Amino acid sequence: MGGVAGSRLDEEWESHRPAVFGAAYRLLGSVAEAEDVVQDVWLRAAAADLAQVVDLRAWLVTVAARSAYNVLNSARVRRDAYVGPWLPEPLLTGPDAGHRVLVDESVSTALLLVMQELPPPERVAFVLHDVFELPFGEIAGVLGRSPVACRKLASRARARVTTARRRPSASRAERERVLNAFRAASEEGDFARLVELLDPDVVYVADGGDKATAARVPVLGRVRVARLLARLGTRRPGARMHLVEVGGEPGLATYRDGALVWIDTVDISGGRITAFRRVANPDKLRHAGHTRAS
C-alpha cells in the first residue's frame, strides 16, 4: 500500500473501523466473524485505489456488508447444525469494552434476534439503509438487485423491526434496578424473591452450543425458570455476578474463580423479567472474557 490512497487509509481507518465492525456484527451476530470481516475490509482497502472515493466511510461499510453477505450463506448452514438454541455473541459495550462500535438499539440482543430471522437480503438492506443511511443505489451493488427492489427489502425488514420496537421496554434505570435485585436474590439464595422478579410467562433460553451445560429447549414459566436459575446460581465458592453493558443495555456477567462462565441479557416489562437469555458457549465468550473479574 502506498501513495495518497495508502496515506488516506492510514489516517482515517481508526475513525471508520467502529462502523465497519458494527455493520458486520449487526449482520452476523458474531464478534469473531465480524472481526474477520474487518480484516478482509482492511486488506481490500489497502489494495484499492481510494483516490476517487468521495465518502470513505460509506465505501468501507459497503465492502463490509458485501463480505458479511457472503458469510451469511455458510453461517446459515452452520446454524442449522447448531446444538440447542442459538443466541448472538455478546458484545460488551461499556467503558472498558474491547471493541469500539457504534451503539444503538440495533445491537441489543432482542433486535439482533429479530434481524437474524430476516432473510439475508432484507437484513443487509435494512442495516445499510436504516442504520448507516446508505442510498439504495449503493445497496443495489451489494445485493445485485435494483434500487427499487432494495427499497422493498428494507421496507419489509423495517416492518418486522418496528413491530419488535413497539413491545413495552423498560428504561435503563429500571433495567439496572431489576438486575441488581436479581443479582442480590441469586447471591442470597432468595427463591421467593427470584420468582417475584420473573414474569409469570417468562421465557428462558440458553446457548451452550454443546460445549457448556445448558437447556436444549426454552424453559417457560417463572417457577420452573426460578428453580433452574437457583440451581445454577452464584451461591458457589468463587462465583461472582457483575452488572455489565451488553449491546448498549445492562446485562449480567457471571464469573467463577475469575473466569467468565456466562453472560445474561433480559427483557423487562412492568418491573419483571419477561425474557431471560444466557450465553454459556465458551466460544462466544472468548472476546467478552478478555479480562478476569476480581
Side-chain angles (χ1 to χ4, degrees), residues 121-134:
E122 289 186 15
R123 201 182 314 173
V124 171
F126 173 79
V127 169
L128 289 185
H129 183 265
D130 285 49
V131 178
F132 292 95
E133 301 179 337
L134 268 63

Side-chain angles (χ1 to χ4, degrees), residues 29 82 85-90 207 279 281-288:
Y82 199 79
W86 181 94
L87 292 172
E89 189 172 339
D207 179 341
V279 175
N281 183 342
D283 292 344
K284 293 187 174 185
L285 298 176
R286 187 173 298 120
H287 298 280

Side-chain angles (χ1 to χ4, degrees), residues 26-29 72 76 79 112 114-128 153 157:
R26 286 168 173 84
L27 291 171
L28 299 170
L72 283 174
R76 175 172 291 184
R79 192 80 48 81
L112 281 175
V114 172
M115 287 195 286
Q116 294 297 314
E117 295 175 356
L118 301 175
E122 289 186 15
R123 201 182 314 173
V124 171
F126 173 79
V127 169
L128 289 185
L153 290 170

Side-chain angles (χ1 to χ4, degrees), residues 116-177:
Q116 294 297 314
E117 295 175 356
L118 301 175
E122 289 186 15
R123 201 182 314 173
V124 171
F126 173 79
V127 169
L128 289 185
H129 183 265
D130 285 49
V131 178
F132 292 95
E133 301 179 337
L134 268 63
F136 288 113
E138 293 187 30
I139 298 171
V142 175
L143 296 176
R145 307 191 185 197
S146 71
V148 171
C150 291
R151 183 184 297 274
K152 292 179 179 178
L153 290 170
S155 178
R156 287 200 294 267
R158 191 179 306 115
R160 293 278 297 276
V161 172
T162 299
T163 298
R165 285 173 171 160
R166 287 175 180 158
R167 297 168 188 161
S169 181
S171 67
R172 185 180 188 89
E174 178 75 350
R175 288 173 179 273
E176 290 182 353
R177 184 191 68 77

Side-chain angles (χ1 to χ4, degrees), residues 87-92 109 204-207 241-242 244-247 249-255 260-266 276-281 284-289:
L87 292 172
E89 189 172 339
L91 177 66
L92 297 186
T109 303
Y204 169 93
V205 178
D207 179 341
M241 187 178 287
H242 297 267
V244 293
E245 184 178 292
V246 185
E249 298 180 342
L252 291 168
T254 297
Y255 296 80
L260 181 64
V261 290
W262 56 61
I263 288 179
D264 301 324
T265 59
V266 299
F276 196 106
R277 296 174 290 265
R278 172 164 290 173
V279 175
N281 183 342
K284 293 187 174 185
L285 298 176
R286 187 173 298 120
H287 298 280

